[in-house]
Amino acid sequence: VLEACGACEQGLSTEELWRKVLQEVTAEELQAPLHQLGVLQAAWWLSASRLSSAAGLLRLLSSPEDLGTAHCSEQENKLLSLLKAWRVPAEEDSLPLVQSTKDLKEILCTAAAFLQGLQELEAGNFPTALSLLQEAAGGFCSKRVLAQIYTCLGCCAQRMGKPQTALQHLKRALQVDFHCLPALSHAAAVYHELGEANAELEALALLYEALGKTPQVAASPSPYFHIRTELLVHTPILSSLLRHRHPSEVKYQLAQRCLQCGRVDDAVEHYLDLLALLQEGLQQQVPLDGSSALPRIPEVFLEAASALGQAGRHQDAITVCEEVISRTTDLIPRRLRVEERLEQPECLSPGAGLAGGFLSQKKESLCCLAWRTAGYLQQGWAWAGLGQSKEAVTQFSRGCLKDIASRCVCLSVPENLLPEVEVLQKIRLISLIGRGAQLLELGRHKEALLDFQHSLQISP
């Protein structure tokens, strides 16, 4: 445009280029094409979350009358006010447009409200976020995007402490698009918050069933609109809120919630299904980006063993624990020394990364030790459940003495290793109590008394 007008444009940024063009070019016949180009530029900037650049361009494109209209509504969002007040020049009927500027302006309004609503939600400004997301929900978008907006509205209401309102929005999301599975996932979380266990378990069961049936593929592009709201709004918080759960995560949550609610038989079935799922192929079942809600695999096995024990299936519990014990035995050093290292100087020395690696390795070794001793503890309770007190005493002894006392030497414990050491102490405590109870059953009262006294010393 500037070349056609004989003006120089070298070394200008995009914002400066637009300013110069709109100052230099006054020809009436170029106004409509410039607005068409301007709406494309605004769409590009919105897709890059450059909202201030888009607002600046709209000020340049708007007439003084339009700007006066935009200034009237002071309480309204500035970008939205400028978009709404912006009057698009009439387009020639002879020009075959793929997408009209007027339609694109409507999409920009929806995208701007959605983007800013997400920004306010991330910043914790929930009333403003709610208002902007409601504005977006009344805009021009596909059913898929509308369901996403209602899901975000539900999350916003939940964070505002309005669970019933959150459920209304999430149900509306599913009514608009029943493939919007994140809405079902968030609904389960709201029911959990409300303490409605039946509704929560029903939502999780529906989600697991839907994940098994619905292929998670990208929606086919609209045959009519080439620039759509979903192409302009793609932020980390939206990806987080709309993250699709993996079947293994949902199955684990079902199992855990059933166990916590006292539905032991249902919990056992879910845990066994989960173990089968994991054996089919862990990489297919668990996301590799660290976002999974699934705990470490030995912990899943130990929880399954706990459920089996509570269901009276003690032999199965022993078998599951043996799997954990056998797989962790070779991963634990014969003697594990846990101590605080001297503080590193602020400048990173070549050995600093190595020291961090040693600490990480010790943390992993402590985890393996905790899983192994927890396996012995579970086996102790299982043998006790079978009425085999002597075998129970043997397993409790392995849990409270053989591994923790002889393998782990704790001096001054680093803070990042404290949780693992505390878990080990709790396992030792419960193992002593369990062994004491079984010694009572065997009539070995003095030994039982010693175990109870020792456990009191550990935890007065």
Side-chain angles (χ1 to χ4, degrees):
V1 172
L2 286 173
E3 284 175 5
C5 297
C8 177
E9 49 80 26
Q10 289 182 354
L12 297 177
S13 68
T14 311
E15 288 91 339
E16 292 168 338
L17 195 59
W18 269 106
R19 193 175 293 109
K20 189 171 179 64
V21 165
L22 294 170
Q23 285 171 353
E24 298 277 344
V25 179
T26 55
E28 188 64 32
E29 65 272 16
L30 283 178
Q31 294 308 304
L34 275 174
H35 278 258
Q36 289 170 342
L37 194 60
V39 80
L40 286 175
Q41 180 70 72
W44 181 270
W45 274 334
L46 278 183
S47 72
S49 296
R50 292 176 59 181
L51 304 183
S52 59
S53 297
L57 177 59
L58 288 168
R59 284 193 191 91
L60 293 172
L61 288 170
S62 300
S63 65
E65 294 82 9
D66 294 343
L67 289 173
T69 307
H71 283 310
C72 288
S73 49
E74 290 180 7
Q75 300 302 318
E76 201 173 359
N77 181 277
K78 288 181 182 178
L79 179 56
L80 282 176
S81 298
L82 286 165
L83 274 167
K84 289 176 182 177
W86 176 36
R87 284 179 294 179
V88 180
E91 292 163 334
E92 297 177 24
D93 294 335
S94 61
L95 196 63
L97 293 175
V98 171
Q99 194 167 351
S100 74
T101 311
K102 186 179 178 182
D103 285 341
L104 193 46
K105 175 193 164 182
E106 292 298 318
I107 288 169
L108 289 185
C109 284
T110 306
F114 195 4
L115 269 171
Q116 292 179 104
L118 289 169
Q119 286 181 350
E120 296 295 337
L121 178 59
E122 191 170 22
N125 303 323
F126 302 130
T128 309
L130 200 68
S131 174
L132 285 163
L133 290 170
Q134 284 170 338
E135 178 86 31
F140 192 60
C141 62
S142 65
K143 285 185 175 181
R144 178 169 170 258
V145 173
L146 184 58
Q148 292 177 356
I149 294 170
Y150 276 121
T151 302
C152 294
L153 276 166
C155 294
C156 186
Q158 184 186 8
R159 294 181 188 185
M160 291 175 77
K162 298 180 178 179
Q164 296 298 340
T165 306
L167 286 173
Q168 289 175 8
H169 288 308
L170 295 169
K171 286 176 182 176
R172 184 71 190 275
L174 289 165
Q175 288 169 355
V176 170
D177 179 12
F178 61 90
H179 290 301
C180 187
L181 300 186
L184 197 53
S185 178
H186 287 296
V190 175
Y191 283 128
H192 178 70
E193 187 181 301
L194 290 170
E196 296 183 20
N198 290 338
E200 181 194 359
L201 291 172
E202 186 180 348
L204 288 171
L206 284 171
L207 178 58
Y208 182 74
E209 186 181 353
L211 284 169
K213 290 180 179 178
T214 309
Q216 301 300 325
V217 293
S220 58
S222 164
Y224 185 73
F225 291 118
H226 287 261
I227 297 178
R228 306 181 300 280
T229 308
E230 50 263 54
L231 296 178
L232 305 181
V233 184
H234 41 79
T235 63
I237 185 174
L238 184 63
S239 301
S240 173
L241 293 174
L242 300 179
R243 185 179 78 84
H244 278 283
R245 307 278 297 281
H246 282 245
S248 57
E249 295 178 88
V250 181
K251 179 59 81 172
Y252 170 71
Q253 198 173 354
L254 265 170
Q256 192 183 53
R257 291 297 296 131
C258 283
L259 192 60
Q260 289 167 350
C261 295
R263 302 184 182 189
V264 179
D265 291 335
D266 291 337
V268 165
E269 293 307 312
H270 288 310
Y271 273 117
L272 293 178
D273 288 344
L274 177 58
L275 297 186
L277 263 179
L278 295 175
Q279 286 171 348
E280 285 175 13
L282 186 59
Q283 290 191 344
Q284 285 73 36
Q285 295 301 332
V286 182
L288 300 175
D289 57 2
S291 62
S292 172
L294 202 66
R296 302 288 293 275
I297 302 306
E299 292 171 27
V300 179
F301 272 74
L302 289 167
E303 284 185 36
S306 177
L308 286 162
Q310 290 181 47
R313 296 171 61 174
H314 302 300
Q315 198 61 56
D316 291 332
I318 291 167
T319 303
V320 171
C321 287
E322 195 55 45
E323 182 77 9
V324 177
I325 293 166
S326 63
R327 287 180 178 269
T328 53
T329 296
D330 295 336
L331 302 176
I332 306 167
R334 292 184 64 83
R335 196 157 179 81
L336 180 61
R337 188 180 179 88
V338 182
E339 60 183 326
E340 188 78 73
R341 289 181 169 271
L342 291 174
E343 288 190 14
Q344 297 288 338
E346 289 197 10
C347 58
L348 286 176
S349 63
L354 195 59
F358 282 139
L359 207 58
S360 175
Q361 189 177 348
K362 285 186 178 181
K363 192 179 182 75
E364 188 68 10
S365 296
L366 282 171
C367 285
C368 290
L369 186 56
W371 295 328
R372 178 183 165 91
T373 50
Y376 284 135
L377 174 62
Q378 292 271 21
Q379 284 188 333
W381 289 122
W383 283 114
L386 290 169
Q388 302 288 329
S389 293
K390 286 185 179 179
E391 190 61 42
V393 166
T394 302
Q395 298 307 318
F396 282 132
S397 297
R398 287 174 175 172
C400 67
L401 294 174
K402 182 184 173 184
D403 269 358
I404 300 179
S406 65
R407 284 181 182 250
C408 185
V409 179
C410 296
L411 303 175
S412 176
V413 182
E415 277 189 22
N416 59 340
L417 296 183
L418 272 174
E420 287 76 16
V421 173
E422 286 173 1
V423 166
L424 283 167
Q425 290 290 6
K426 286 179 183 176
I427 294 171
R428 189 179 186 190
L429 171 70
I430 298 168
S431 297
L432 282 165
I433 296 170
R435 189 173 68 173
Q438 293 309 303
L439 288 169
L440 275 179
E441 291 286 330
L442 293 168
R444 294 157 63 179
H445 298 154
K446 286 185 179 179
E447 294 172 76
L449 186 59
L450 282 173
D451 277 348
F452 295 140
Q453 286 174 337
H454 192 185
S455 60
L456 274 172
Q457 289 172 5
I458 295 173
S459 179

